[in-house]
Amino acid sequence: MTTDLARIGKKARKEPGVVFTSLYHHVTDPDNLLDCYGALEANKASGIDGVIKEEYGQKLKDNLHDLSSRLKRMGYHPQPKRRTYIPKPGSKKGRPLGISNFEDKLVELSVKRVLEPIYEEAFEDSSYGYRPGRSCHTCLDTLGRTIQQKKVHHVVEADIKGFFDNVNHSWMLKFLEHRIGDPRIIRLIDKMLKAGIMEDGLVKASEKGTPQGSILSPLLSNVYLHYVLDLWFSHRFHRQCQGEAYYFRYADDFLACFQYKDEAENFMTRLVDRLKGFHLEVAPDKTKILEFGRFARKNAKQKGQKPKEFTFLGFTHYCGKTKNGYFKVKRRTCRKKFGVSIANFTDWARKSSCVMTKGQMLRSARRRVVGYLNYYAITDNSEKCIAYLYHVTRILFKWLNRKSQRRSYTWKGLGGISFKFLLKTMSKMKAPVAKFKNSDDC
């Protein structure tokens, strides 16, 4: 099965305009479904039927055979997704997620494995989100190098208002038909998009949007924005620019860099019309043009102002200097993200102190801190990372000592544990932390 999927990707690379007319048998293949079953994690949330991986696997062979048969005769019908919410900065209700049934997750992953090799060859280099071999750090590194080494003087910071909730199904299917000529694949995806959402015991039909939390949703969102934004910028707008212009997108977050201010303003104006044509709109309060680049600090100082900053992928980007005095894009953890991380850790420590031993709390805290540093420990952000570790230590000091009055930690004692913990954590960290060694690198 892996060989067949690799052959699909190879054909897509050699023939960029080819339309694939026979793909559905890969989706229904029992071996592919079995591989998908093995790839799914067992500890993920269940859908409306409450079935988990272990329960589904008790009669795995029969279940997969039945699923494959229903898919082949087009008798498979996706069930509504279970609505749940996770914390989101600036939102009281939280970020809405749609949790699929386990069987639906199998089909979603099977479809993704078939379509991904095709679109990975088609996607632009400006797209970084939810793609194999690419990450937030890849995007941030390329962005920093571009601003430092190219003629960039203005940045457009943009945000699409409720993108995942407003994806138009008709346009989505039209975009897919550019490369997918198998009508059974299109019909199956249409069923998935219209499966609906169950919230508070009521099922609401899905007329638009692709729910976050679905395995297939990231790929579909990339396909949608590939045609709406990526190709439009690279093949139309960029070619009309007199100066240099660059574009970066991670999922639905994107920004554009320009040499001239009038072209940045033109991009802002045309962006509104472009998105409107595909039933999307920009968030006015989160979309702006700012002067940013090698001369931004000098120009702002002449005006008696501070140089502008912008936030992208959880980091605040600001104009800085290397040790030798050269211009450098520096980053620190966004204030909002930092506050949310501290609040989440405090909430976890308060609840865990009632159900965990001290040793369990320390081990669990270490895992949480390693996860935080794996993302935020990048060049020039050591101050914020050390601040996070300091606050985490104080929170642990408070809640560990509340567990027992007879065997309490002293601040000096816990500080020693925290220092050893910090060294051990840093030594096991991968690439992001290694960048602390040379602050002049980007």
Side-chain angles (χ1 to χ4, degrees):
M1 185 62 203
T2 304
T3 304
D4 293 338
L5 297 179
R7 191 179 297 117
I8 292 174
K10 186 176 181 180
K11 185 175 180 63
R13 181 168 57 255
K14 287 187 175 181
E15 304 176 45
V18 69
V19 178
F20 292 84
T21 57
S22 181
L23 294 172
Y24 194 67
H25 63 284
H26 295 301
V27 175
T28 64
D29 182 45
D31 291 335
N32 185 25
L33 293 173
L34 181 61
D35 289 343
C36 292
Y37 174 84
L40 289 174
E41 298 181 28
N43 59 349
K44 294 296 184 181
S46 59
I48 61 174
D49 62 359
V51 176
I52 60 175
K53 181 176 181 178
E54 182 180 359
E55 184 177 350
Y56 192 86
Q58 291 175 357
K59 297 182 179 180
L60 181 59
K61 186 175 180 180
D62 294 338
N63 287 335
L64 292 182
H65 177 74
D66 177 63
L67 175 59
S68 178
S69 299
R70 282 183 283 129
L71 284 168
K72 288 177 181 178
R73 67 174 185 266
M74 302 304 293
Y76 165 77
H77 298 284
Q79 297 301 304
K81 293 173 174 55
R82 179 172 63 86
R83 174 68 81 204
T84 187
Y85 294 88
I86 60 174
K88 178 183 177 182
S91 174
K92 294 182 180 180
K93 196 171 184 180
R95 186 187 301 278
L97 297 182
I99 309 300
S100 305
N101 289 347
F102 185 80
E103 188 174 74
D104 295 336
K105 291 178 182 178
L106 283 176
V107 180
E108 290 170 6
L109 183 55
S110 180
V111 174
K112 179 187 176 183
R113 287 170 59 126
V114 173
L115 298 187
E116 193 171 60
I118 299 172
Y119 284 103
E120 274 302 306
E121 301 300 332
F123 287 152
E124 297 285 301
D125 289 338
S126 57
S127 171
Y128 292 88
Y130 310 121
R131 296 183 59 187
R134 294 185 167 220
S135 66
C136 294
H137 294 117
T138 308
C139 183
L140 291 169
D141 183 63
T142 309
L143 171 64
R145 292 180 184 276
T146 299
I147 295 177
Q148 288 177 194
Q149 300 173 6
K150 305 296 182 180
K151 297 178 181 179
V152 172
H153 305 309
H154 296 86
V155 172
V156 176
E157 185 182 2
D159 184 79
I160 301 177
K161 187 175 180 180
F163 167 72
F164 287 94
D165 296 329
N166 293 290
V167 169
N168 183 268
H169 292 174
S170 297
W171 276 114
M172 174 66 78
L173 298 179
K174 289 178 182 177
F175 293 149
L176 289 170
E177 288 171 353
H178 281 295
R179 300 303 303 273
I180 310 301
D182 193 330
R184 295 167 297 178
I185 293 279
I186 302 298
R187 182 180 173 184
L188 178 60
I189 294 176
D190 188 35
K191 284 183 179 181
M192 292 177 175
L193 292 173
K194 291 180 167 57
I197 295 289
M198 176 176 282
E199 185 173 5
D200 298 329
L202 299 176
V203 176
K204 182 181 178 182
S206 300
E207 300 297 333
K208 60 181 180 179
T210 173
Q212 297 182 73
S214 165
I215 294 175
L216 191 58
S217 183
L219 178 60
L220 294 181
S221 65
N222 271 337
V223 171
Y224 200 87
L225 290 177
H226 170 71
Y227 289 100
V228 173
L229 285 178
D230 301 354
L231 291 180
W232 170 70
F233 186 90
S234 61
H235 293 278
R236 185 176 300 179
F237 187 86
H238 180 267
R239 294 179 179 180
Q240 299 173 358
C241 293
Q242 298 297 318
E244 296 185 13
Y246 305 94
Y247 165 83
F248 302 88
R249 181 177 66 81
Y250 190 93
D252 60 327
D253 294 330
F254 65 97
L255 55 83
C257 306
F258 296 93
Q259 181 178 357
Y260 300 123
K261 185 177 181 179
D262 59 336
E263 291 179 347
E265 293 173 342
N266 185 32
F267 173 78
M268 283 271 289
T269 303
R270 294 179 59 181
L271 176 65
V272 174
D273 295 333
R274 177 69 180 180
L275 293 178
K276 187 177 180 181
F278 297 95
H279 305 272
L280 298 173
E281 59 179 313
V282 297
D285 55 325
K286 297 181 181 180
T287 304
K288 57 187 177 181
I289 301 175
L290 52 95
E291 185 179 2
F292 195 94
R294 65 182 72 248
F295 304 113
R297 179 180 292 274
K298 179 180 178 181
N299 294 340
K301 188 175 181 179
Q302 291 176 349
K303 299 176 184 177
Q305 302 174 352
K306 292 183 178 180
K308 301 292 184 181
E309 302 174 347
F310 68 89
T311 301
F312 187 57
L313 299 181
F315 291 94
T316 297
H317 296 63
Y318 61 98
C319 298
K321 292 182 179 181
T322 65
K323 293 179 181 179
N324 296 325
Y326 296 108
F327 167 72
K328 182 184 181 184
V329 178
K330 293 191 173 184
R331 310 174 186 91
R332 61 174 178 267
T333 307
C334 170
R335 180 179 296 180
K336 182 186 291 186
K337 296 289 186 181
F338 184 85
V340 169
S341 299
I342 296 298
N344 289 341
F345 191 91
T346 303
D347 185 59
W348 166 83
R350 177 177 58 82
K351 294 178 180 177
S352 299
S353 64
C354 302
V355 296
M356 290 184 179
T357 65
K358 290 182 178 180
Q360 289 174 334
M361 281 191 69
L362 285 170
R363 286 190 291 271
S364 183
R366 182 180 182 277
R367 288 193 296 269
R368 298 177 74 90
V369 172
V370 167
Y372 179 91
L373 293 180
N374 271 331
Y375 185 78
Y376 287 105
I378 65 172
T379 307
D380 302 315
N381 197 32
S382 57
E383 184 176 339
K384 279 289 187 179
C385 289
I386 292 171
Y388 177 80
L389 289 168
Y390 171 77
H391 286 290
V392 164
T393 304
R394 289 188 62 89
I395 294 166
L396 281 174
F397 179 75
K398 173 182 177 180
W399 289 103
L400 286 172
N401 281 342
R402 286 199 175 192
K403 293 179 67 63
S404 172
Q405 295 179 352
R406 295 183 61 186
R407 299 185 62 186
S408 300
Y409 287 103
T410 64
W411 179 252
K412 183 178 180 180
L414 187 63
I417 294 174
S418 299
F419 181 72
K420 293 177 183 177
F421 163 79
L422 174 59
L423 292 178
K424 188 176 180 181
T425 300
M426 289 296 193
S427 66
K428 291 187 176 182
M429 295 288 288
K430 296 181 181 180
V433 171
K435 293 182 181 180
F436 280 140
K437 297 178 181 178
N438 187 353
S439 61
D440 287 344
D441 293 337
C442 179

